Amino acid sequence: MSARDRLSDALYGAGWATVKKLPEPVAVRLGRTIADLAWKRRGQGVLRLESNYARVVPDAGPERLAELSRAGMRSYLRYWMESFRLPAWSPERIANGIDIKDIHRVTDGMAAGKGVVLALPHLANWDLAGAWATTGLGIPFTTVAERLKPETLYDRFVAYREGLGMEVLPHSGGSAFGTLARRLRDGGLVCLVADRDLSASGVEVEFFGETARMPAGPALLAQHTGALLLPATLWYDDSPVMRGRVHPAVPVPESGTRAEKTSVMTQALADAFATGIADHPEDWHMLQRLWLKDLDPARDSEQDAREGTP
């Protein structure tokens, strides 16, 4: 394990061990302080965040983009502070920490015996939404996690999410799709973060006027299993409560090849994500390259791995 990997693992370990013990107001202030320091440093992540926000808010000038990136970093650190503390939250605290509009689209689909694929972008705190599903709604679900380096850090994230009641499958290895399909055919819930895919199998979509790639998995799972495909978006406001919305189901087109159907459905997901991101750009935690114009073929896959989000 390299020195950088050991440091990353140690920092995340310290976060889970220490931050969850802090009084909530102290954790909130700490997160904001760290966010402001990172924003002032103008590092690669902050610059990438501003570049991405420039697509979302095309009429924003430098001052507005700087304001957005500062708010974005504060939102991002709120995510981390909440995530470090989630294992110590009571079911009541989790239930009181989130308000989701039109959640009936999920519960009605489950009650009808259909599996449900819930697809989300990197907005606000998807881990809190997952914890709320397992505790507040009493609905277990399955998700996938990108393998991180070092392996010990990946193991930490898997243990953390499993501790919140999620079944976590590794993204690599080739068996995740089959397991997800079985869960859906059994009437289960699958939740996938689905706004970034730099692999060769990613589906090209128009996203804020430019081409990006998003994963084919959600659309393919819906086609293979007959499950409902529901986009969802999340956001923060000035309160301690995270807000969210479940959007109308994305239908499977009646005609076309599998690839054509997948393309149409993934574009519909992208459009729903864009609606939520445009309404709350500061809560979109995309500190990585996304649009094809930003990708440099000369860079190797290790660069993309370093930019991965847990």
Side-chain angles (χ1 to χ4, degrees), residues 205-256:
V205 295
E206 182 178 326
F207 196 53
F208 291 103
E210 294 187 29
T211 303
R213 288 198 194 102
M214 295 188 181
L220 288 173
L221 285 167
Q223 292 176 61
H224 276 276
T225 67
L228 288 178
L229 176 54
L230 296 172
T233 52
L234 306 168
W235 65 91
Y236 292 126
D237 58 18
D238 293 331
S239 77
V241 179
M242 183 178 73
R243 313 293 174 176
R245 176 191 175 199
V246 179
H247 298 253
V250 173
V252 178
E254 295 182 359
S255 61

Side-chain angles (χ1 to χ4, degrees), residues 282-301:
E282 67 279 4
D283 292 322
W284 188 40
H285 307 152
M286 187 55 66
L287 282 73
Q288 303 84 24
R289 296 172 293 152
L290 177 70
W291 282 273
L292 299 192
K293 284 185 178 179
D294 293 337
L295 302 180
D296 182 354
R299 296 182 182 180
D300 59 23
S301 59

Side-chain angles (χ1 to χ4, degrees), residues 1 17 19 32 98 106 130 143 158 164 170 176 186 202 207 266 279 284:
M1 186 187 301
V19 175
R32 178 163 292 200
I98 188 167
V106 174
T143 188
V158 170
L164 297 176
D186 290 340
F207 196 53
T266 306
D279 288 343
W284 188 40

